[in-house]
Amino acid sequence: MSPPTPRRRAKDLSGLPRTYIDTGSVETFRDEVLDYASRLSATGVNVDLHMWGGGFHGSDGFVPQAAISRASAATRDEFIRRALNR
């Protein structure tokens, strides 16, 4: 049996739940993240997309005390909190 296709490469993205996606404006994988968010949205999935100006891959781990890191963590935590309280 072959392993499951990762969602970002799946052809059919319909039926997925509301999805939180964030990326930094200088993220290495920014274009792939935006493409994935667009594909989700095109199939009717509600997407909470956040692009953090100046953010880069792993920036929240490298500089967790930075304002952008704290803001992105708080936004992500609030999304998860709302999702779990539904």
Side-chain angles (χ1 to χ4, degrees), residues 21-40:
I21 299 175
D22 69 351
T23 188
S25 63
V26 293
E27 161 70 51
T28 304
F29 304 107
R30 182 198 64 213
D31 294 344
E32 289 86 348
V33 169
L34 296 176
D35 177 63
Y36 181 53
S38 294
R39 291 177 50 224
L40 285 168

Side-chain angles (χ1 to χ4, degrees), residues 7-8 10-21 32-50:
R7 287 291 185 187
R8 66 178 175 76
K11 302 276 188 241
D12 181 14
L13 299 172
S14 62
L16 292 174
R18 183 180 197 114
T19 303
Y20 178 90
I21 299 175
E32 289 86 348
V33 169
L34 296 176
D35 177 63
Y36 181 53
S38 294
R39 291 177 50 224
L40 285 168
S41 185
T43 62
V45 174
N46 288 323
V47 177
D48 281 36
L49 174 63
H50 302 267

Side-chain angles (χ1 to χ4, degrees), residues 20 48 71-86:
Y20 178 90
D48 281 36
S72 68
T75 302
R76 182 178 52 246
D77 291 349
E78 180 58 28
F79 177 86
I80 293 169
R81 200 172 0 268
R82 284 192 325 259
L84 292 174
N85 287 328
R86 289 186 185 188

